[in-house]
Structures are given as C-alpha cells and as structure tokens.
Amino acid sequence: QVHLQESGPGLVKPSETLSLTCVVSTASVDSGHNWGWIRQAPGGGLEWMGNIHNSGTANYSPSLRSRVTMSLNASKNQVTLRLTSVTASDTAIYYCATLHYDILTGYCPYWGQGTLVTVSS
Amino acid sequence: EVVLRQSPDTLSLSPGQKATLSCRASQSVSSNYLVWYQQKPGQAPRLLIYGASSRATGVSDRFSGSGSETDFTLTIARLEPEDSAVYFCQQFGYSVWTFGQGTKVEIK
C-alpha cells in the first residue's frame, strides 16, 4: 500500500502559478513506482494531466503541455506539480496517484485524497 | 484523442439487482489498457478493474469487467447500498489517456 498526500495553497489568483506537492509514504518516488496527476472540476469528470516516471521523465496532456511541469524531489520523497497562468477553469480537486504502466497493462492503484484548488481573485 | 462515452449517465436500481455499465470508445482500445474506477462522494477514485477484466486487490467478486475493442462493460451483481457511487472508465491505450464522463449508480 502506498500512501499519498497532496497539499497546496487552496486559493490561487488568476494568471498566477499553482504549485502542488504530493508527499509519498511507504515508497520512494525515484524507484519502483511512476506517478500521475489527475484533476476533477467540481461536480465534473476526471482529467488526466500527465505522469512522471521515477527517472524524472514526464509526459503531459497536450491540452496542458504549455503550462504544466511535473518533477520529483527525492530528498523529500515528493512529487510536485506546477501549473502556470491559471484561470477559473483550473479550479478543481487535484489528485496524485501511483501509476503502473508497462507493455502488459496500465492502471492507477493508489490515489491521494485530493486537494481542492480554487482560482479566484 | 480517444473519447470514452459511458452509458447510462445514471442508473437507479434496487438492492440485489444487477447493474450493467457501458463504456464505448471512439477508437479501438487494447483491453490491456481499459480500467474501471469507483468514486464515492468526497473520496478519491478507487481502482476496481484493470486490463478490462482483472479485479484489483480487495475488490468484491460481485464486480466484473468484460469487453474488447470499442465496447467494454462493468457488471455489478447483487447490488448493495455501499455500491452507490460514480463509476469511471479510463483508457491507457493511446498517448493521451482519457476518462469516460462517469455513470452514477443509485441504490433505491
């Protein structure tokens, strides 16, 4: 079982940069697991934002690629998400999750509880 | 981008009945990369099924998945009140990983 806990500012002003942290327990961010970020608008569906391999290589959703950066902080055992130039449409619950993906299958077995980010002035 | 369309949007059934949830893809998706999640209010999604038909650890055998190419199904047998939730499918088969919009299962 991998435990994940997201944290962030809660409220971000339009045009500013959103930064979120996912603290990982019982696993190392830089070995054995890969990581994904998924968001969910209030009352809405799920959107895959991107994923980062334990080597640090990241893949982003084309719709967010120009604004999103994911990274690993091995010393703090954290996965970070940075989203620039936010607008109200970025208001959502942001989840980090473990990602299992290979030539046989893909799925997200463990998820954090999520953190709500509201974009408003 | 592969679009996943789930139906119905809402399913209202009684305890003990069987629920059949559909997930249709706009292009053929490898069944290896079709996943189902359950999400209860205020909670994160929970992995139910991966590889279209393999149950995740700890998932009741009342949940089963099937399908191939563009048509996938999640079946919940003998519904229980705790099965009230939104169910999402997801595909990892193409470079852009997408979710269906969800089916809400209500237990009368």
Side-chain angles (χ1 to χ4, degrees), chain A:
Chain A
Q1 180 100 11
V2 180
H3 186 256
L4 306 102
Q5 178 74 59
E6 306 90 344
S7 63
L11 180 65
V12 181
K13 289 182 169 56
S15 80
E16 294 189 342
T17 295
L18 164 66
S19 293
L20 297 177
T21 296
C22 175
V23 177
V24 178
S25 305
T26 66
S28 297
V29 297
D30 58 352
S31 67
H33 291 272
N34 301 311
W35 313 96
W37 284 95
I38 302 99
R39 68 181 181 177
Q40 186 172 34
L46 299 163
E47 179 185 11
W48 185 270
M49 300 182 69
N51 54 279
I52 182 165
H53 190 268
N54 55 59
S55 65
T57 301
N59 294 291
Y60 305 128
S61 169
S63 66
L64 297 171
R65 188 168 291 145
S66 64
R67 299 194 292 131
V68 69
T69 305
M70 298 176 187
S71 59
L72 303 178
N73 185 329
S75 63
K76 295 184 178 180
N77 216 37
Q78 296 174 347
V79 186
T80 62
L81 171 73
R82 189 168 174 269
L83 185 66
T84 61
S85 305
V86 298
T87 68
S89 63
D90 295 311
T91 294
I93 298 171
Y94 287 76
Y95 297 100
C96 64
T98 58
L99 168 63
H100 176 94
Y101 185 78
D102 58 29
I103 61 171
L104 296 178
T105 191
Y107 52 88
C108 292
Y110 303 110
W111 294 61
Q113 68 187 32
T115 187
L116 174 63
V117 176
T118 301
V119 179
S120 175
S121 54

Side-chain angles (χ1 to χ4, degrees), chain B residues 42-94:
Chain B
Q43 297 184 17
R46 172 199 177 202
L47 177 67
L48 289 179
I49 301 286
Y50 64 94
S53 61
S54 297
R55 271 187 300 275
T57 302
V59 173
S60 169
D61 60 5
R62 295 186 299 104
F63 293 88
S64 62
S66 63
S68 63
E69 297 188 353
T70 60
D71 288 307
F72 298 90
T73 300
L74 175 69
T75 302
I76 312 172
R78 305 180 302 283
L79 278 167
E80 297 181 0
E82 66 194 40
D83 299 330
S84 180
V86 179
Y87 294 83
F88 294 94
C89 57
Q90 181 189 16
Q91 65 81 22
F92 288 91
Y94 289 82

